[in-house]
Amino acid sequence: MNQLINIPLNQSVIVSDLTQIDDRLRRRMIALGFYEGCSIKVKRKAFFSGPLTIEQTEHRQMIAIRQSDAEQIGVIVP
């Protein structure tokens, strides 16, 4: 299992583990369509430990998360 932080830009991956992140962030991500088993892409990575912009590919929903949170999200490369 890979971490979301290590995925290159625009590569599709499947979210496999959201249990390591903060419960409040996990619930917010699920409410926005970012759940275990969904396909996502990293669209942007900010400089100097800034946020990552990720896109849920099915609904085109985009959110930005901290790099420290992205280190705790497990993904699978199909």
Side-chain angles (χ1 to χ4, degrees):
M1 180 171 63
N2 295 322
Q3 296 173 326
L4 182 59
I5 192 79
N6 299 327
I7 301 301
L9 295 178
N10 294 317
Q11 180 178 354
S12 280
V13 294
I14 298 171
V15 178
S16 63
D17 185 19
L18 292 175
T19 60
Q20 303 299 316
I21 60 174
D22 180 58
D23 190 50
R24 193 178 334 160
L25 176 61
R26 184 181 60 79
R27 284 186 276 137
R28 184 174 297 150
M29 288 181 68
I30 290 170
L32 293 171
F34 294 83
Y35 50 87
E36 292 178 3
C38 76
S39 178
I40 62 172
K41 289 182 181 180
V42 177
K43 299 302 278 184
R44 294 185 191 106
K45 289 184 180 180
F47 297 112
F48 305 113
S49 300
L52 272 72
T53 303
I54 58 175
E55 176 184 40
Q56 202 265 11
T57 54
E58 184 179 336
H59 302 302
R60 300 282 189 214
Q61 178 73 23
M62 294 179 76
I63 62 170
I65 60 171
R66 295 178 290 207
Q67 286 191 10
S68 60
D69 292 327
E71 290 173 350
Q72 299 175 3
I73 298 175
V75 295
I76 299 172
V77 179

